[in-house]
């Protein structure tokens, strides 16, 4: 039986290190883009759920009621047929922060948005804001 020499092992480890250094940043970029895409899909889902809420109640939840109205019946609301979301996590963005909700909205009947990973307005990549307008 013949084993590997130390030199052969060092060459293989060097090659693996180079591959990781080249591929690592690319993979991290893809993961960041995936969260932004997930946020867009979640916002589209929330729009659909809010439309169901409106069909039952006759109006969208107010800004004060927020997206919590999809989980627990607000006081004084008739026709509520929820919960409209299975879990409270459905109202959290991929960065585990609550979505910003306003009704009536500045851009439509309601506005939903997230500020991305950096939780500041603007940005690009994973820090990009995602909204329903």
């Amino acid at each position: 039986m013949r084993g590997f020499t130390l030199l052969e092992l060092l060459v293989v480890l060097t090659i693996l290190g180079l591959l990781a250094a080249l591929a690592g940043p690319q993979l991290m970029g893809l993961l960041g883009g995936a969260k932004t895409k997930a946020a867009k899909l979640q916002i589209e889902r929330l729009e659909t759920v809010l439309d169901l809420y409106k069909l039952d109640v006759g109006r969208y939840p107010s800004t004060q009621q927020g997206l919590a109205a999809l989980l627990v019946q607000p006081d004084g609301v008739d026709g509520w047929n929820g919960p409209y979301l299975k879990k409270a996590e459905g109202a959290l963005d991929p960065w585990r922060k609550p979505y910003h909700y306003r009704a009536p909205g500045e851009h439509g009947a309601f506005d939903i948005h997230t500020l991305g990973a950096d939780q500041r307005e603007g940005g690009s990549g994973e820090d990009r804001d995602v909204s329903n307008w």
Side-chain angles (χ1 to χ4, degrees):
M1 278 187 150
R2 182 179 177 271
F4 294 105
T5 67
L6 180 59
L7 182 60
E8 290 170 330
L9 289 174
L10 288 174
V11 169
V12 169
L13 289 175
T14 302
I15 291 171
L16 289 174
L18 288 172
L19 287 173
L22 293 172
Q26 296 294 328
L27 290 174
M28 294 309 287
L30 290 174
L31 290 176
K35 285 189 175 185
T36 300
K37 289 176 186 173
K40 188 66 177 167
L41 291 172
Q42 286 176 342
I43 287 174
E44 288 173 3
R45 181 173 167 265
L46 286 171
E47 287 178 311
T48 302
V49 170
L50 285 163
D51 287 339
L52 290 172
Y53 179 97
K54 183 181 178 188
L55 285 172
D56 290 343
V57 174
R59 61 178 174 76
Y60 293 111
S62 67
T63 302
Q64 292 76 23
Q65 292 168 332
L67 297 176
L70 302 174
L71 294 160
V72 178
Q73 183 173 359
D75 292 334
V77 172
D78 295 327
W80 192 85
N81 195 25
Y84 297 89
L85 295 174
K86 289 184 180 181
K87 298 179 183 177
E89 289 83 22
L92 298 177
D93 69 17
W95 300 277
R96 312 301 296 157
K97 304 291 183 200
Y99 281 101
H100 299 269
Y101 172 78
R102 181 186 312 171
E106 293 179 7
H107 305 278
F110 57 85
D111 295 343
I112 306 172
H113 73 281
T114 179
L115 298 175
D118 65 355
Q119 291 299 298
R120 287 187 242 162
E121 289 191 21
S124 61
E126 192 174 342
D127 296 333
R128 189 182 90 190
D129 299 350
V130 182
S131 65
N132 69 328
W133 63 86

